[in-house]
Amino acid sequence: MAEKKMSPRQKMIGMMYLVLTAMLALNVQREILDAFVVIDEGLIESASLAESRNDALWSSFNFSLKMDEAKVKPYHKTAQEIHTEVVSIITFIDSLNREMISKTEGLTLDEADTIHLAFIDKKEQYDVSTNMMVGANEDISKGQAKVLKERIQALELKISQSMTKFKLPNHQNAFAFNDKQVEGQLREWEKHSYYDVPLAAVIALHDKLKNDLLNLEYNAVGQLLSQVAQDDIPVDTVVARVIPKSSYLVRGQDYEASVFLGAFSSTSSPKMYVLNSDGSKQYIEVEAGSGNYIIPNVSVGEQGYSGAIEVVNNQGQVKSFPFESEFNVVAPSASIAATAMNVVYKGVDNPFSVSVPGFGDDEVRMMVDGNHQLNKTAPGKYTLVVNKSSSGNMNITVQAKMDGNWTTMNQEAFRIKSLPDPNARINTITGSGKMKVNDLAAQSLIVEYDKDFIFNLARPKLMSFEVVISDGANTRSKTGRSMRLSEEIKTFVKSARPGNTVYFEDIMVEGNDGRTIKLPPLVIKIIR
């Protein structure tokens, strides 16, 4: 019952399960039963990793749905139906395990639900599991094994039909419910898997089925998600935009504008062109996904131009996105534009360019309301430091000196925002990962802002964090207070053993905007 895309660890566990099952037929009992406990522990751990992997896949799928519901919804709906049935079958398997353990051990269902296979006394018993799964009269038609097999086969059929519907490759025979020759007789899968098979082996088989179901879901949902993106452009956003450096010009000035894709590929540049009056194409030089188009010495009046951006999608097809823009060259007026973006941030120097066409620099001034710090750094250039305790909006006013009096030319409201939360990482691990213990002890806990943020921000101050080592049953912890791990923390980390999990949690930082922030934990599995 091996799924098509399994890790080497999962393949090894599956092979060990088959070998141990074969050895049971030779009446090698106690050692084999204990080995099934080890196998089951590995299966449970693999299931946990598979669930995390599936959760990450679903996060991407849900994000795609939010971005383009009309396109993604049919694929997402089918994937959700597959997920719902996988969860339902796994719940059914858990209920079978709970009932078998309850009847075999004489426990309540609640007690049976929490007991680990290693603590079951009657691992070798098979009467209850045989009766439940095969049937009291060895008639598989009345056993739960037949129900389980048919539900899984129905799920596989649904997935196959869904793949055909969306013209995707089918995963055939993900589960092999084959009959087998036993002592010269052909036995159905239900019998050779459950008849007189000890409880320990049945529990391990069920946990393996749960792993295979999670892998089946991952592959099916992954294919559906990949189909969503096959016609997409290999960038985050595919929107043609024109951003003029200035919307108002004085006669004789040059018009300058940036024509660009909202996001771009660092390995594949688009082609951009503007149509000349004779219909010929004037190609624009592209750098970092952005084209810079200049019309020299524009005259007063309405102006306009059009063109297109050509990009290659994931199937190698060229897609063209036309654009057009109009602008007016008018008499002098005032404008206010944030150099970085249309908001101001706490904790940074927000740059502004201010000009009023027709007025010299000594005849123009910029003012802000509220208790904020405004500094003039060069002709027409300002930096604004927002008060860290402020929120909401602020007004920025530009005045020009006309006939000896300061006259308001423009006033606009800007939103005040806190900086985005910083991120924590160890080496390249930002959420969860695996590392050797000595490699981990040699690392630093780095706290920094996203490098893609519009400002180059200094690293925030790390106040404290907790290092927790867990072996699955017990935990112990130490407190750290610097990005570079202290010798005490390094020694503590080195005490972790392969298989332990090291958590860096309660990571408290002081942001550049004065906020105290608790960052998400880092989870690192120690490997050999």
Side-chain angles (χ1 to χ4, degrees), residues 380-393:
K381 304 293 183 181
Y382 295 81
T383 59
L384 172 64
V385 180
V386 180
N387 190 302
K388 293 181 179 180
S389 63
S390 60
S391 61
N393 294 333

Side-chain angles (χ1 to χ4, degrees), residues 250-269:
V250 177
R251 182 174 51 199
Q253 284 186 303
D254 292 342
Y255 173 80
E256 183 176 352
S258 294
V259 183
F260 64 96
L261 288 174
F264 60 91
S265 168
S266 61
T267 59
S268 177
S269 294

Side-chain angles (χ1 to χ4, degrees), residues 437 440-441 467 469 485 489-496 502 504:
V437 68
L440 177 57
V467 182
I469 299 177
L485 301 185
I489 295 296
K490 289 181 180 180
T491 301
F492 180 66
V493 169
K494 287 180 180 180
S495 70
V502 179
F504 289 78

Side-chain angles (χ1 to χ4, degrees), residues 139-190:
D139 180 1
I140 61 172
S141 66
K142 303 201 174 162
Q144 295 297 327
K146 180 178 176 62
V147 177
L148 176 58
K149 181 178 77 171
E150 290 177 347
R151 289 193 63 175
I152 294 176
Q153 288 175 329
L155 172 62
E156 286 193 292
L157 177 60
K158 176 178 178 56
I159 292 175
S160 176
Q161 292 171 339
S162 299
M163 297 301 108
T164 300
K165 173 183 175 182
F166 292 109
K167 299 179 181 180
L168 292 168
N170 273 313
H171 287 297
Q172 297 295 336
N173 299 321
F175 291 80
F177 296 107
N178 299 325
D179 298 339
K180 183 190 294 184
Q181 288 285 343
V182 179
E183 297 179 353
Q185 295 183 349
L186 187 64
R187 282 194 176 186
E188 301 92 337
W189 174 84
E190 292 87 341

